[in-house]
Amino acid sequence: MNILITGATGFIGSHTCVALLNEGHNLIAFDNFSNSDEKVLDHIKEISGKDFLFYNADMTDPVAMEKIFSENKIDCVIHFAGFKAVGESTQIPLAYYYNNIYGTICILKAMKAHGVKKIIFSSSATVYGKPAALPIKEDFALSATNPYGRTKLMLEEILTDLSKSDPEWSVMLLRYFNPVGAHKSGLLCENPKGIPNNLMPRILDVAFNIMPEITVFGNDYDTEDGTGVRDYIHVVDLAYGHVKAIDYVSAHTGTEAVNLGTGVGYSVLDLINTFEKVNSIKIPYVICPRRPGDIDACFADSSKAKELLNWTSELGIEDMCRDAYNAAKSIRQKE
């Protein structure tokens, strides 16, 4: 299948490129490197042993989107591109709405113009807002507690409306929980530009003495140790979920929302303590006030993914911590 990957050099996008190339798919990819590095392209090719077509492009540029679709036969789009930091979204909401909403509409207009009607959307567990119960199922009420989450929720609604307007569309809304870990080759990992927003990159900054300590945002949540609880999923498991989603959208039309998570919740301190144990490194931390928009706990019921996609997660929290550290160490040694 000829698959367009948006945001291909990002954390999840790059791992998914490897998984799809390994399955024999042909890739067309683009990224604007706003939060990634051009070297990732070489790493994807080295791991997979395969080449693919890449465009340095921004999804908010309709001319660039038209060029990509007019120059290639595309069967399906996997849409990763977008701003993704909860805290940052509360500070610069207009940037999030413009980039994530308008950029996706530019992609969808190009798809429509060229008769491409299959899309797998990188959504998020943030669309559940503050869930009324745990674990979270796909039929729970949807809401959002921050601008980032609202962009994901709005885009789910836009994609659902699009598929209702034309029964030939096939839309898969993959609601990720919290991806961590790295590829075992050590060539791919979460390596954001600037000050990291996600927990694992901040742990790694402390592990490599870039920062003296990690900031834990809040210890007064309604959880066992007071810190926020999340469903951490290994990025390699998450990437393989997209391979299975390709199989599904190839055979079905309409819209489906599917959780990709492990079904197990771990607190911030659980992740820090596990990282210390498996890597024999002390990670000092300091407790600070909560961040705007964060919730107490969030973890998935992933039974629908098993039923529809024949997908389950296989790697645990120790694998996530070990692989993340080994990949970060490998990349830092080469720099």
Side-chain angles (χ1 to χ4, degrees):
M1 221 172 162
N2 298 320
I3 303 168
L4 174 66
I5 308 291
T6 82
T9 57
F11 180 41
I12 305 171
S14 60
H15 284 82
T16 302
C17 284
V18 169
L20 291 168
L21 289 167
N22 287 343
E23 291 291 320
H25 291 289
N26 298 314
L27 300 190
I28 303 98
F30 77 80
D31 207 307
N32 65 359
F33 303 117
S34 65
N35 196 32
S36 59
D37 194 295
E38 196 169 351
K39 295 176 183 175
V40 171
L41 294 170
D42 293 330
H43 296 162
I44 294 170
K45 294 172 185 177
E46 183 177 343
I47 294 168
S48 66
K50 297 177 181 176
D51 201 357
F52 58 95
L53 187 61
F54 179 81
Y55 292 81
N56 186 340
D58 191 308
M59 67 177 173
T60 62
D61 180 355
V63 174
M65 296 302 98
E66 171 60 26
K67 175 181 172 66
I68 290 170
F69 279 88
S70 63
E71 292 181 351
N72 299 279
K73 180 187 180 299
I74 296 168
D75 300 309
C76 179
V77 175
I78 303 183
H79 181 28
F80 295 107
F83 294 161
K84 63 174 188 175
V86 168
E88 182 183 64
S89 76
T90 66
Q91 299 163 0
I92 52 169
L94 288 181
Y96 270 70
Y97 290 123
Y98 176 80
N99 187 76
N100 293 7
I101 304 293
Y102 174 67
T104 301
I105 289 173
C106 289
I107 293 170
L108 293 174
K109 288 179 75 173
M111 289 178 68
K112 190 172 187 293
H114 291 272
V116 182
K117 298 183 179 182
K118 300 182 190 302
I119 184 168
I120 296 165
F121 175 56
S122 169
S123 192
S124 166
T126 56
V127 300
Y128 295 112
K130 187 173 182 178
L134 294 169
I136 297 168
K137 296 184 178 182
E138 288 85 354
D139 60 0
F140 277 20
L142 304 179
S143 65
T145 62
N146 54 74
Y148 162 71
R150 273 186 280 277
T151 67
K152 292 296 188 183
L153 185 52
M154 288 178 191
L155 288 170
E156 284 202 5
E157 292 170 347
I158 289 168
L159 287 162
T160 300
D161 287 342
L162 186 57
S163 71
K164 287 178 180 177
S165 73
D166 182 345
E168 292 183 355
W169 276 78
S170 181
V171 175
M172 176 68 71
L173 310 172
L174 292 182
R175 293 173 180 162
Y176 309 156
F177 281 68
N178 290 68
V180 295
H183 196 271
K184 284 192 177 297
S185 66
L187 293 173
L188 295 177
C189 68
E190 188 173 11
N191 192 23
K193 293 180 178 178
I195 299 171
N197 290 288
N198 293 341
L199 179 56
M200 184 58 77
R202 293 191 288 118
I203 292 175
L204 291 168
D205 276 357
V206 176
F208 290 99
N209 298 312
I210 296 169
M211 298 292 290
E213 60 194 11
I214 188 168
T215 301
V216 175
F217 295 104
N219 67 343
D220 58 347
Y221 287 105
D222 185 18
T223 62
E224 189 170 333
D225 62 22
T227 64
V229 167
R230 298 292 182 268
D231 187 336
Y232 296 101
I233 176 172
H234 200 295
V235 66
V236 171
D237 278 338
L238 189 59
Y240 189 63
H242 294 78
V243 174
K244 306 297 283 187
I246 286 287
D247 295 339
Y248 186 87
V249 299
S250 298
H252 300 83
T253 56
T255 300
E256 286 287 352
V258 177
N259 291 337
L260 293 184
T262 66
V264 180
Y266 291 101
S267 73
V268 172
L269 294 184
D270 285 334
L271 194 66
I272 291 172
N273 293 335
T274 302
F275 187 94
E276 289 182 332
K277 183 181 74 172
V278 300
N279 297 311
S280 301
I281 296 174
K282 185 67 178 173
I283 304 295
Y285 63 87
V286 59
I287 304 294
C288 289
R290 299 184 185 193
R291 292 182 301 188
D294 277 344
I295 61 174
D296 298 70
C298 177
F299 57 92
D301 179 329
S302 292
S303 56
K304 186 175 180 181
K306 184 174 183 180
E307 177 187 346
L308 288 190
L309 308 182
N310 192 29
W311 175 92
T312 56
S313 62
E314 296 181 359
L315 300 166
I317 188 171
E318 292 192 354
D319 298 298
M320 301 174 207
C321 291
R322 185 181 299 110
D323 292 344
Y325 177 66
N326 287 338
K329 181 167 59 174
S330 173
I331 287 174
R332 281 170 169 80
Q333 286 171 348
K334 293 177 181 179
E335 292 177 344

